[in-house]
Amino acid sequence: AQKVTQAQTEISVVEKEDVTLDCVYETRDTTYYLFWYKQPPSGELVFLIRRNSFDEQNEISGRYSWNFQKSTSSFNFTITASQVVDSAVYFCALGFLTGNQFYFGTGTSLTVIP
Amino acid sequence: NAGVTQTPKFQVLKTGQSMTLQCAQDMNHNSMYWYRQDPGMGLRLIYYSASEGTTDKGEVPNGYNVSRLNKREFSLRLESAAPSQTSVYFCASSETGRATGELFFGEGSRLTVL
């Protein structure tokens, strides 16, 4: 079965703190893709990153970084020096080459307090 | 760049009424999707279409029908709306084939069924 678990339902941090959002996935497929999306209060869904199962390199983009570990089936997302604009719901998702389906976690609501 | 456009953005229906949500993408993507988003449940797939002329059920298809009119357009129809269908609906598209691209989402349609 394919499944994505985001165990953190809500997180609050004070501005400038670092925060890590956890994502654990389940699949028996060897080829898959992992994604993170951001949904700000305005409601749109914004793509942040895609990673395929053969690329375990961590990635950094500005204040954002992603840690992909196949050994623990995790794809965690860290925001460094958080800002109020980072307040949003963040979704982790799992996708496949066949079947054309994407599986989403239930999301983590991040509130950054000024 | 319009990306994915869905209409209407807001709709209020009475129980038993019907309506169609329209979606169009201008990115020449093969695959299109309809999701619903409910509090605490993340994004759940209603139907998807891997290519023009094909549609498949997702996780929560009951009470919905879809039509992939052409490569650009993918509509979602509620034949007899029920209060349980009150939700935010997102249309999305992606490029699939040799690799699975990220989902591009529309802005969402907020539907209330009274």
Side-chain angles (χ1 to χ4, degrees):
Chain A
Q2 332 285 13
K3 186 179 178 182
V4 175
T5 301
Q6 295 180 256
Q8 304 152 306
T9 306
E10 296 181 359
I11 301 176
S12 291
V13 298
V14 176
E15 199 170 21
K16 297 184 183 177
E17 287 184 345
D18 299 347
V19 59
T20 296
L21 309 182
D22 297 333
C23 173
V24 174
Y25 63 93
E26 294 176 31
T27 181
R28 292 184 178 179
D29 286 38
T30 56
T31 302
Y32 52 89
Y33 298 82
L34 294 164
F35 306 84
W36 276 95
Y37 287 85
K38 174 182 180 179
Q39 187 176 42
S42 52
E44 74 273 23
L45 285 149
V46 179
F47 164 75
L48 295 177
I49 190 171
R50 179 185 80 156
R51 174 68 74 228
N52 74 53
S53 54
F54 300 108
D55 182 3
E56 281 193 81
Q57 277 193 331
N58 292 333
E59 180 154 339
I60 298 174
S61 176
R63 296 184 297 106
Y64 294 172
S65 62
W66 291 269
N67 183 285
F68 176 26
Q69 291 194 336
K70 288 177 75 170
S71 61
T72 57
S73 297
S74 64
F75 187 44
N76 296 338
F77 173 29
T78 298
I79 302 175
T80 302
S82 59
Q83 299 177 2
V84 172
V85 293
D86 296 326
S87 296
V89 180
Y90 291 87
F91 291 97
C92 181
L94 174 65
F96 299 89
L97 196 59
T98 57
N100 284 285
Q101 293 206 35
F102 294 77
Y103 299 84
F104 282 81
T106 52
T108 297
S109 177
L110 173 66
T111 301
V112 181
I113 303 165
Chain B
N1 267 353
V4 179
T5 304
Q6 56 180 108
T7 57
K9 289 188 171 42
F10 300 94
Q11 184 73 48
V12 178
L13 292 177
K14 295 180 180 179
T15 297
Q17 287 185 319
S18 62
M19 76 158 298
T20 300
L21 296 173
Q22 308 285 356
C23 176
Q25 51 95 6
D26 62 3
M27 295 172 283
N28 203 38
H29 286 163
N30 295 326
S31 300
M32 297 186 72
Y33 310 79
W34 277 104
Y35 286 89
R36 61 177 287 173
Q37 183 179 21
D38 303 292
M41 303 193 76
L43 290 152
R44 294 184 293 168
L45 181 64
I46 304 170
Y47 271 93
Y48 67 97
S49 170
S51 60
E52 183 179 349
T54 69
T55 61
D56 286 285
K57 294 179 180 179
E59 182 184 354
V60 288
N62 292 343
Y64 305 95
N65 287 303
V66 290
S67 296
R68 183 74 182 268
L69 305 170
N70 47 55
K71 193 171 186 179
R72 289 187 65 247
E73 298 172 288
F74 188 39
S75 63
L76 178 72
R77 182 162 179 83
L78 287 69
E79 292 290 352
S80 179
S84 61
Q85 294 177 304
T86 293
S87 188
V88 179
Y89 292 85
F90 286 95
C91 179
S93 70
S94 72
E95 186 54 52
T96 54
R98 285 178 290 177
T100 296
E102 65 270 26
L103 287 165
F104 290 81
F105 286 92
E107 294 182 340
S109 299
R110 185 174 293 275
L111 175 65
T112 301
V113 183
L114 303 175

